[in-house]
Amino acid sequence: MPVSDAGKLLAIIAHARAGALQRAWTLFTNAGLLDVNDDPAVLSLKGRLLKDEAGRSGGAERIRLYREAAQAYAGSASLRPATYPLINAAALSLLGGDPERARALAAEVAALLDSDPDEPETPYFAGATRAEALLLLDRGDEARAAFAEAIAIAPRAWEDHASTLRQFALVLEAQGRDASWLDAHRPPRSIHFGGHMSFDPKVMGREHLDEKIAAVLEEENIGFGFGALAAGADIIIAEALLARGAELHAVLPGGAESFASVSVDPLGKPWRERFDSLLERAETVRAVRPLGAPPDLVTIGLADEIAMGAAVMNARRLESEAVQLLVLDAPAEPDTAQCGWRQRIIIAPREPVPAGPPPPLAGAGHRRLGILAIGLGPDSAEQGVRLSAVAALLRQAPATAVPAYLATGQVLLAYEGAADAARAALAIAEAAPASAALGIGGHYGIADTFTDPFSGGERLAGEPAELAGATAASAPPGSVCVTDDFAAALAASNCPDICSEMIGELDARDGRAPILLYALKARSRPGKESEP
């Protein structure tokens, strides 16, 4: 393949990752790659597209697509022998109902590793690839030992482990074998934490509480914690997480200083010192918009929702589990409805300390919304056609919290929750004709609405609508891209039919850290490819 074609392949991969599979196939075909059989990179990409398409299909069609994907990967390996296309060809042959072909290709993988043990790009993947080949060869005990050895080489390569766990689960299911042994190799769990603030800042150790928190973290094998750092239980739990070597991910409404002015400083200088120490030691500090002003109750609730979702997303990404730890002053019934997770509740009585002032009250029209922006494209001649198509699609969409209206080159609308907004966006993107493929963007956050004095319609003001519009401008035609806050809120909603995948970054208008972009996709059972 000429060097100039590399950019075409990258563009096709970007569309596939964003969930715009139809558009990716169009680009692949228009580039004249459909019948290319002498380029390993093209054949591997074809295998990926076929595998993605199989994930959206079912029954005999899925089996056929898996077999075609396996053939494409095998063709790539025949031109340039490598474990990556070979192991994918082997696994996909099994999923395509051809276990004999899978075993033959797995034997080739094992032979290639024996002849060149450093061929995969990392020692971990060399070991994991060998383990998968052994699994496909029905040598289960050897596969388990090889996988354990691979993990020992890179014990904290959690994402790599997760990729292998996904692939092994598929293989074991296709073989009809027990997959419970994989649980022993799963990365540590993620936790969302919170609790009341009525603790005396002068008491640095509370055996009745500190020991209980440490015990829960140990019992649950917690490696990642997500939450705010308010004075009291938040800070006590965060310190316990760091003491056991877990990662702390702080999620702060309004930003560090704005949050501290409401939830830390009023309760005493010792809490502020502990807060600042935790900020320095946190793995990440995530500021939830709007930034700069003391957060009100609505913003604090939004940040808590995002922290919940971030814990769930981290657990899903690592093929692990998320749980919730709450420190309450009285017993309460576990509430598992929102995230579908287990709750651990510790009872710790309130201590006689002065209460800080309550957070500011939210103004009228100040609420959490899932905002969508539907791009009409830069070509003014096509915008009218696309606008008519959007209007027809929206007539079939669920009822909105803010009805659709036309802004500069985009249609804006909003829903009460991230799940409703996500379902509407995917339905619109899927139903749009190929000639009017739409790039749709979304943001979930605090929005202010007003009444347009000219039309009488409700409108969205300020940054949230701008963020939705910016994600739409970044979304490939036929895809739905959302901000990280939207993706987290979707995860917190326990939405069973939609998942998200990080695909890039969006520069923040205010010069702060870039905003992560996620592609929304309908959830399907097949996992991701084996990693190279």
Side-chain angles (χ1 to χ4, degrees), residues 119-175:
E119 187 271 330
E121 67 177 46
T122 69
Y124 168 78
F125 277 119
T129 300
R130 182 179 295 278
E132 185 173 350
L134 291 167
L135 201 62
L136 291 164
L137 288 166
D138 296 319
R139 293 158 61 179
D141 290 343
E142 293 174 77
R144 293 188 192 194
F147 188 31
E149 290 174 7
I151 289 177
I153 292 171
R156 296 182 68 87
W158 310 125
E159 290 191 60
D160 294 344
H161 302 171
S163 173
T164 306
L165 287 166
R166 280 190 290 269
Q167 189 76 358
F168 281 18
L170 288 171
V171 170
L172 289 165
E173 181 182 15
Q175 292 175 330

Side-chain angles (χ1 to χ4, degrees), residues 322-414:
V323 296
Q324 187 178 53
L325 172 59
L326 299 177
V327 175
L328 306 178
D329 61 348
E333 288 295 323
D335 177 13
T336 60
Q338 184 168 21
C339 291
W341 54 19
R342 293 182 295 106
Q343 278 186 326
R344 300 295 301 268
I345 296 176
I346 296 175
I347 304 303
R350 292 179 181 268
E351 298 174 4
V353 296
L361 295 176
H366 196 64
R367 51 183 169 155
R368 287 181 252 178
L369 290 174
I371 303 170
L372 299 180
I374 304 173
L376 299 176
D379 190 334
S380 58
E382 294 182 359
Q383 285 187 1
V385 176
R386 292 175 181 269
L387 188 59
S388 297
V390 169
L393 293 170
L394 288 176
R395 283 193 286 271
Q396 308 300 320
T400 60
V402 176
Y405 63 93
L406 180 63
T408 305
Q410 296 178 329
V411 174
L412 292 174
L413 62 157

Side-chain angles (χ1 to χ4, degrees), residues 260-283:
S261 71
V262 171
S263 299
V264 181
D265 294 340
L267 286 93
K269 184 178 179 181
W271 285 123
R272 179 59 193 250
E273 291 173 349
R274 293 165 74 174
F275 173 83
D276 290 338
S277 175
L278 288 170
L279 284 185
E280 292 178 0
R281 300 167 64 195
E283 187 75 14

Side-chain angles (χ1 to χ4, degrees), residues 275-301:
F275 173 83
D276 290 338
S277 175
L278 288 170
L279 284 185
E280 292 178 0
R281 300 167 64 195
E283 187 75 14
T284 63
V285 178
R286 180 172 182 168
V288 176
R289 299 167 186 270
L291 306 178
D296 55 32
L297 289 173
V298 178
T299 308
I300 291 172

Side-chain angles (χ1 to χ4, degrees), residues 191-194 225-230 234 249-256 258-259 263 285-291 293-312 324 338-339 341 366-368 443-446 484-486 488-489 492:
I191 198 167
H192 167 255
F193 60 87
F226 297 80
L229 298 177
D234 285 2
H249 298 269
V251 183
L252 306 178
S258 297
F259 174 73
S263 299
V285 178
R286 180 172 182 168
V288 176
R289 299 167 186 270
L291 306 178
D296 55 32
L297 289 173
V298 178
T299 308
I300 291 172
L302 170 67
D304 197 49
E305 186 177 2
I306 288 171
M308 289 183 194
V312 173
Q324 187 178 53
Q338 184 168 21
C339 291
W341 54 19
H366 196 64
R367 51 183 169 155
R368 287 181 252 178
H443 174 65
Y444 183 79
I446 306 298
D484 47 2
D485 286 353
F486 190 115

